Amino acid sequence: MVIAVGFLFAGDAAAAAAANPDTNFAVIDDAMLDFGTGEPVAPNAAGLVFAEEQGSFLVGAAAALKSETGKLGFIGGVCCFGLIEKFEAGFTAGAQTVNPDITVIAQYITQAPDFDGFFAADRAQEIALTMYDQGADIIYHAAGGSGAGLFEAAKSQSESSGSQVWAIGVDSDQYYTAGPDFQPYILTSMLKRVDVSVLEIATAQAEGTFTAGNTVYDLAVDGVGYSTSGDYLADIVDQLDAFKAEIIAGAIVVPTAPA
């Protein structure tokens, strides 16, 4: 079995699957479906995707509950190819569910097909500092490696202004991956549980139950979520868990595209 981590591998994985019918392939962050028919691109190709909008809803709600200015920021790495917009849509929906009057400032670093926005920490830092200057006190990023610039901005803004501002990480628990210097400024992270999906597909491979096509990992299967490292959310976890339950029950339907 071959597991390709990232949607940029989708085309190559589809070609490799067709050329190697005795090997199964799975791609993280791509459905591996034919756009015309909706069928799997190959009988040995699986897509593992995530309900990022649902996890983003929860960190958006957390941001709104913690914000003192009523103004938040969102930095996307690359627009507009149907993935990062899910993060923005969910984050904004979560924040506005808590506070309909809250303001969310959103900005993307680059536009597809220019994917350098995932590797531009200096640009993310500039954008974040501008958002903090505009009154945002919590900023969420879905910008890959560029997120390091947000953490730098949160630290420098807090230290220079004497007023605490926050960053929200993405995918992994960035309270740990960003390093101890930035831990006082990372409120939470939206978790995309790639580990859950890889374990499941590897188990299916081992048991001979591999299935081609798309599998979505959402809140119902703990495919997405949020981190509590640092205990900055300890006073609002009950409220966030209530939102999670409503989403799983279908009482809240989280949008996948910004309004």
Side-chain angles (χ1 to χ4, degrees), residues 163-182:
S163 180
Q164 174 83 53
V165 296
W166 296 96
I168 295 178
V170 76
D171 292 347
S172 61
D173 186 350
Q174 295 201 287
Y175 180 87
Y176 293 108
T177 61
D181 288 347
F182 303 104

Side-chain angles (χ1 to χ4, degrees), residues 100-194:
D101 296 323
I102 205 161
T103 298
V104 179
I105 309 167
Q107 185 170 342
Y108 290 78
I109 300 174
T110 61
Q111 301 279 324
D114 179 1
F115 287 94
D116 289 346
F118 291 127
F119 312 99
D122 55 344
R123 182 68 184 123
Q125 184 173 3
E126 293 174 4
I127 293 171
L129 287 172
T130 299
M131 289 181 177
Y132 288 133
D133 286 341
Q134 292 174 336
D137 58 350
I138 303 173
I139 300 174
Y140 173 42
H141 90 88
S146 298
L150 168 60
F151 303 142
E152 289 280 2
K155 182 176 185 292
S156 63
Q157 181 76 11
S158 295
E159 292 177 347
S160 64
S161 68
S163 180
Q164 174 83 53
V165 296
W166 296 96
I168 295 178
V170 76
D171 292 347
S172 61
D173 186 350
Q174 295 201 287
Y175 180 87
Y176 293 108
T177 61
D181 288 347
F182 303 104
Q183 288 178 346
Y185 313 101
I186 299 177
L187 181 67
T188 182
S189 297
M190 195 287 284
L191 303 178
K192 184 160 70 173
R193 298 297 302 273
V194 175

Side-chain angles (χ1 to χ4, degrees), residues 58 226 236-246:
L58 296 181
Y226 65 94
I236 62 170
V237 165
D238 288 348
Q239 295 174 77
L240 299 181
D241 285 348
F243 282 131
K244 176 181 177 179
E246 289 188 74

Side-chain angles (χ1 to χ4, degrees), residues 3-43:
I3 297 174
V5 183
F7 61 88
L8 292 176
F9 288 107
D12 289 335
N20 298 274
D22 295 330
T23 299
N24 289 331
F25 291 78
V27 179
I28 303 294
D29 279 344
D30 191 275
M32 298 301 285
L33 299 176
D34 183 277
F35 287 117
T37 65
E39 297 296 319
V41 295

Side-chain angles (χ1 to χ4, degrees), residues 13 15 24 45 60 70 79 87-88 98 114 118 162-163 165 171 181 183 206 216 219 224 230 235 248 252-253:
N24 289 331
C79 186
F87 294 81
E88 179 192 350
V98 170
D114 179 1
F118 291 127
S163 180
V165 296
D171 292 347
D181 288 347
Q183 288 178 346
V216 179
L219 283 176
V224 291
D235 58 326
I248 292 172
I252 294 176
V253 178

